[in-house]
Amino acid sequence: MSKNKIIRWILLSCMLIQLPYALANESKTVVIAHAENKAEKFSKDEIKKIFLGKRTKWDDDRKIIFVTLSTGPIHKEFLKTYVGKTPAQYNKYWKKQIFTGKGKPPKSFKTEKQLLDYVSKTKGALGYISRKTLSNKSNKIQIIKIEQ
Amino acid sequence: MSQKYTGDKMNSSQSIKKWISCSLVLFLLTGSLKAVTREELIKRVDKQQEEIDQLKEELSLMDSSESDDILKSIDIHGFISQGYLKSWNNNFIADSVDGSFEYNEIGINFSTNLDDNLRAGLQLFSRDYGDIGNNDIEIDWAYIDYRMEDWLGFRAGKIKQPKGLYNETRDIDLLRTSVFLPSSLYDESLRDLFISIQGVGAYGNIPLDEWGDISYQYQYGSNDFEEDGGSARNFEDSGAYDVEDLDADYIYVQHIVWNTPIEGLRFVGTITKIQDFRGTGSTLPGGMIQGVPLSGTPPLGFGLPDGSPFFIELTNVTNYVGAVEWSHGNLVLMAEYTEARARLNVNDIVIPGVIDLSNSLFHVAGWYAGGSYRFNEFFEMGAYYSNAFNPDDKDNLDTETVSLAARFDITENWIFKVEGQWRQGKHGMFALDNPDGFKEDTFLLVFKTTVSF
C-alpha cells in the first residue's frame, strides 16, 4: 500500500470516528419565530435575555411573545443550551417574578405541534421545537439563526 | 311522426350540444384547476384563515367590553405555608421548646399587563411568626410598573426592597431549599424594616456585551411599620418601654447585580440608607436600661416615672451587602457579607460622667456561605454556615448557625421541607420569649409545607 493510500485511510477513519460526535453535538432544537418578525438571527445571549424577560422587544419595537414547552427533552435541552438553567431553576426564576410582581411567565405548551401552531398564528411570537417537528413547518414560520 | 322524429332529432342534437358544452366547461375547469399550484392553494387557505382569525378577533371585541378584557387578563397566584417549630434550650420566635405551629405565611397576588409597557399588581400577605404578624393582612407590594425600555423602567407604589441575593423573595418558601434564610443576613425579626418601600423606583438591565450584563434598581421612599412588628419588638426587647409608633423619615436603596459572562455566576451589591428610624412610646413599670432603673432618681436611675414618654432612634442607618452566587447545573453555591452602622439615641439620656446613651455607635455585621444540590425532580438538599457579630465587641453579639435542610417536591405546586439548625448565641431570638435568660446553644427542628398556584 502506498504512503498516500495509508494517509487517505487514516483521514477517512478519523472522519468516520468524528461523525457520530458531530451529529451528537448538533443541537436537536431550533428556535422559530412568526414569519413577519423582523429578525433572522440572534446571539445566544440575546435568546437567554428574551427567555428571562430581560429583552422584551423585536427590532421594530413589537413585543416579543416568547413561548415555551412545559416539559420534555427538547424543553430541557433548550433551557440548558440557551438559558443555562435546569427546568426546575427556570420555574423558580419565573415564580420569583410572579411573587415579586415583576413579570408574567411565558405561555407554555404540552406539545411541539401546539407550540408550532401558536407561533405560526401569532405575530411577535418566538419559541423552539425539535428539528424533527420542523419538517411540518408552514410558511408562517421562520427559523432563527443563533450566533454563538 | 315526422314531427316527432324531427323533434327527437332536435332533442338528440340538443343533447349532443349539451354534452359538448358540458365537456368543454369541465375540460376548461380541469385545466384551470391544474393551472393553480399547490403553493397558491396554501396561500389562499392561509389568507382565508387570516380573515377568519380577524373576524373572530373582531367578534370577541364586540362580545366583551374593555373592562371585561382587563378582568380576563388578570393573573392570580398565591401560596400557603405552614410550619412546625421544635427547639431545645431556647425559644426560637415562638414557644418552640414546647413545639409550636405559630409559623405560617399566606400570600395572594393579582397582576395584569395594561399594555406592552405598563403593568400593575398587588400582593396581600399574612404571616404568623410567634408574636409577630399574628396573621394580620397587609399589602406586601402594590405598584405600577412602566418599562420604557429594557434598560430603563419606573415603579411607583409599595415596592419590594432588594437586599443581597434573596431579600425580595424571603417570604416565598418554595424558591429555596432551606426553611430559614441565614439570620446573619436575613434576620426575620427585622423583616418589616427591609421588606418593602413605599415610594418610587427606577430599574433596568444594561448589556455589557462580552462582560455579561448589569441589572440595577434604585428606590426612594418610606415605609409603614406595625406596632406589633419585628422592629418594634426589637426596640421593646429590653422590657423598658412599649412602642406606640414607629417610623422612618426616608429609605433609599441602591442595588446592582452583575451577571458575569461565566455561566451562572453573579455578583450582587446593595446599599440601604434609612434616615431617622424612630420608635416612640412610654416607659413600663420596672423598666431598666443597662441595669439602671428608668423610674429611679438620678444618679441611681434615669428619673422617668412609669408611663413617661420615651423614644429610641437610629439615625443615619447604612447597610451594605456584598454577595456572590454560582449556579452550575443542579448545584448552587452562595455567600454574602453584610455590615450595618448607625448612631443610636436612647431618649437623649445623659448622666454626665456616668452614662451617655444619646449618641452611641450601633454596629453589626454578618456573613454566611452555603449551597444546595438537586438530586432529582423530587429531592434537594442544602446547607449553610452563618455568623452574626458586632465588629467592635465580638463577645456581645456573636452567633453561629449551622443548618442542614432537605426539600421534597411532592408535586410541581406542593413541597415539604425539613431543616435542622444548631445555633450558638442569641442573635435572631428575643429575650421576651426567653424570660429566664438564654442558654448558650439552641437546637431547632422545623417542618414546613407549602402549596403554590
Side-chain angles (χ1 to χ4, degrees):
Chain A
M1 201 181 279
S2 73
K3 198 179 166 186
N4 277 348
K5 266 191 178 175
I6 292 168
I7 291 169
R8 266 185 220 156
W9 272 107
I10 290 169
L11 283 174
L12 190 65
S13 308
C14 286
M15 281 167 73
L16 283 171
I17 290 165
Q18 285 298 316
L19 188 65
Y21 293 99
L23 289 173
N25 284 336
E26 192 191 6
S27 175
K28 289 175 193 160
T29 313
V30 274
V31 178
I32 54 165
H34 188 273
E36 287 181 28
N37 299 334
K38 297 252 189 293
E40 285 171 357
K41 58 185 176 184
F42 276 127
S43 70
K44 202 175 154 186
D45 191 50
E46 280 172 320
I47 290 290
K48 181 179 176 177
K49 282 204 173 83
I50 290 168
F51 280 84
L52 293 178
K54 289 178 180 175
R55 177 178 167 164
T56 56
K57 298 205 173 145
W58 294 96
D59 290 340
D60 62 359
D61 221 33
R62 180 182 286 174
K63 192 182 177 188
I64 300 176
I65 304 165
F66 62 101
V67 292
T68 66
L69 291 167
S70 50
T71 182
I74 294 299
H75 177 55
K76 203 173 167 182
E77 192 203 273
F78 173 81
L79 291 179
K80 190 183 169 190
T81 312
Y82 296 102
V83 188
K85 289 188 186 293
T86 63
Q89 286 166 348
Y90 191 66
N91 285 346
K92 273 186 190 175
Y93 176 85
W94 279 105
K95 284 201 170 172
K96 179 185 167 182
Q97 307 304 308
I98 288 170
F99 289 113
T100 53
K102 288 180 178 172
K104 185 178 172 175
K107 197 184 250 294
S108 65
F109 296 90
K110 281 184 183 166
T111 67
E112 292 179 48
K113 173 78 182 62
Q114 287 172 336
L115 188 147
L116 181 68
D117 221 38
Y118 180 84
V119 173
S120 69
K121 285 176 185 165
T122 312
K123 287 175 188 170
L126 178 83
Y128 53 87
I129 51 172
S130 63
R131 282 188 190 281
K132 208 172 93 184
T133 310
L134 189 66
S135 54
N136 304 323
K137 98 176 177 87
S138 80
N139 57 349
K140 288 274 182 178
I141 292 287
Q142 62 171 315
I143 297 165
I144 302 290
K145 195 179 162 195
I146 310 294
E147 291 173 337
Q148 295 299 315
Chain B
M1 282 291 285
S2 66
Q3 269 183 347
K4 200 185 170 188
Y5 176 69
T6 315
D8 280 348
K9 220 178 148 183
M10 273 177 76
N11 281 348
S12 71
S13 131
Q14 276 171 352
S15 294
I16 290 162
K17 276 180 190 168
K18 270 182 197 170
W19 273 109
I20 291 168
S21 310
C22 281
S23 307
L24 199 64
V25 167
L26 277 171
F27 175 76
L28 288 171
L29 200 63
T30 321
S32 71
L33 275 174
K34 274 182 184 168
V36 177
T37 61
R38 183 183 153 78
E39 281 72 27
E40 279 170 337
L41 270 175
I42 289 170
K43 266 184 193 169
R44 279 186 202 173
V45 170
D46 281 349
K47 199 178 173 188
Q48 279 167 359
Q49 185 62 49
E50 213 168 88
E51 283 168 4
I52 290 167
D53 288 345
Q54 208 172 340
L55 282 169
K56 272 185 186 170
E57 208 171 295
E58 280 169 17
L59 198 64
S60 71
L61 284 174
M62 283 163 74
D63 285 347
S64 59
S65 66
E66 204 171 308
S67 59
D68 282 345
D69 285 348
I70 290 172
L71 281 176
K72 274 180 201 165
S73 69
I74 290 178
D75 292 310
I76 303 173
H77 294 278
F79 57 89
I80 300 170
S81 292
Q82 177 61 55
Y84 175 77
L85 302 159
K86 170 68 188 160
S87 66
W88 288 265
N89 292 348
N90 293 309
N91 277 319
F92 181 79
I93 63 168
D95 292 331
S96 54
V97 168
D98 296 331
S100 175
F101 283 101
E102 280 187 70
Y103 179 39
N104 68 32
E105 285 138 1
I106 301 155
I108 184 160
N109 70 55
F110 308 86
S111 61
T112 187
N113 289 333
L114 297 164
D115 65 35
D116 286 355
N117 300 72
L118 191 63
R119 185 175 167 76
L122 76 88
Q123 179 159 288
L124 301 173
F125 182 70
S126 169
R127 74 178 330 209
D128 190 17
Y129 190 73
D131 285 336
I132 300 169
N134 297 319
N135 281 126
D136 292 340
I137 297 170
E138 61 179 75
I139 294 175
D140 193 25
W141 49 262
Y143 59 88
I144 45 174
D145 181 337
Y146 179 68
R147 191 175 190 153
M148 203 165 78
E149 297 288 343
D150 291 332
W151 57 270
L152 181 64
F154 301 99
R155 294 186 180 120
K158 194 167 186 180
I159 314 161
K160 278 271 187 184
Q161 260 190 60
K163 184 169 88 91
L165 292 168
Y166 309 119
N167 192 60
E168 289 170 287
T169 56
R170 63 190 293 163
D171 300 325
I172 311 159
D173 183 63
L174 57 104
L175 294 181
R176 59 178 178 268
T177 314
S178 61
V179 175
F180 290 111
L181 286 165
S183 61
S184 56
L185 264 289
Y186 304 98
D187 184 352
E188 281 302 301
S189 70
L190 290 174
R191 174 188 174 275
D192 56 350
L193 187 57
F194 293 106
I195 196 65
S196 56
I197 197 166
Q198 200 166 318
V200 291
Y203 70 96
N205 180 270
I206 301 165
L208 300 174
D209 299 325
E210 69 268 26
W211 292 98
D213 63 83
I214 279 184
S215 293
Y216 68 88
Q217 289 190 64
Y218 293 102
Q219 295 175 352
Y220 180 84
S222 188
N223 201 356
D224 279 335
F225 302 98
E226 296 296 323
E227 292 144 37
D228 63 348
S231 296
R233 198 166 161 78
N234 266 294
F235 280 153
E236 288 170 343
D237 205 36
S238 62
Y241 86 121
D242 182 42
V243 173
E244 286 150 19
D245 188 43
L246 201 66
D247 63 51
D249 279 0
Y250 73 78
I251 301 173
Y252 169 70
V253 184
Q254 232 178 317
H255 179 75
I256 286 180
V257 181
W258 176 34
N259 298 300
T260 70
I262 299 166
E263 193 69 61
L265 181 67
R266 61 177 178 144
F267 291 93
V268 177
T270 312
I271 300 170
T272 309
K273 282 181 185 281
I274 304 167
Q275 185 62 40
D276 296 344
F277 181 50
R278 186 181 170 103
T280 51
S282 52
T283 57
L284 291 170
M288 291 196 284
I289 298 278
Q290 294 187 1
V292 181
L294 290 172
S295 56
T297 314
L300 298 172
F302 294 116
L304 294 165
D306 296 346
S308 297
F310 195 84
F311 74 86
I312 294 184
E313 187 177 57
L314 285 163
T315 52
N316 300 321
V317 183
T318 308
N319 189 84
Y320 304 93
V321 179
V324 58
E325 184 191 67
W326 183 56
S327 169
H328 182 71
N330 292 315
L331 176 73
V332 182
L333 300 173
M334 71 293 277
E336 295 192 72
Y337 177 81
T338 187
E339 201 167 325
R341 283 168 188 270
R343 302 306 303 183
L344 178 68
N345 179 2
V346 182
N347 210 53
D348 286 330
I349 287 173
V350 184
I351 301 175
V354 182
I355 194 166
D356 181 357
L357 299 176
S358 66
N359 187 18
S360 55
L361 175 67
F362 173 81
H363 193 188
V364 289
W367 68 276
Y368 77 88
S372 69
Y373 188 81
R374 178 166 275 268
F375 291 87
N376 51 47
E377 284 186 3
F378 174 70
F379 182 54
E380 191 173 301
M381 277 195 86
Y384 62 76
Y385 169 83
S386 161
N387 185 9
F389 58 96
N390 179 344
D392 305 319
D393 181 6
K394 276 211 146 198
D395 296 331
N396 193 21
L397 179 91
D398 192 6
T399 299
E400 288 178 294
T401 307
V402 176
S403 159
L404 183 66
R407 168 185 165 139
F408 305 89
D409 288 60
I410 302 161
T411 67
E412 197 184 325
N413 299 312
W414 180 23
I415 59 165
F416 176 79
K417 292 180 184 179
V418 56
E419 179 175 357
Q421 279 195 5
W422 166 77
R423 303 170 79 95
Q424 189 178 47
K426 60 185 182 182
H427 179 71
M429 291 186 283
F430 291 110
L432 289 171
D433 293 328
N434 296 281
D436 300 331
F438 287 104
K439 295 189 177 77
E440 201 180 336
D441 298 311
T442 307
F443 298 96
L444 176 67
L445 191 61
V446 197
F447 299 94
K448 196 175 184 188
T449 187
T450 299
V451 170
S452 66
F453 57 91

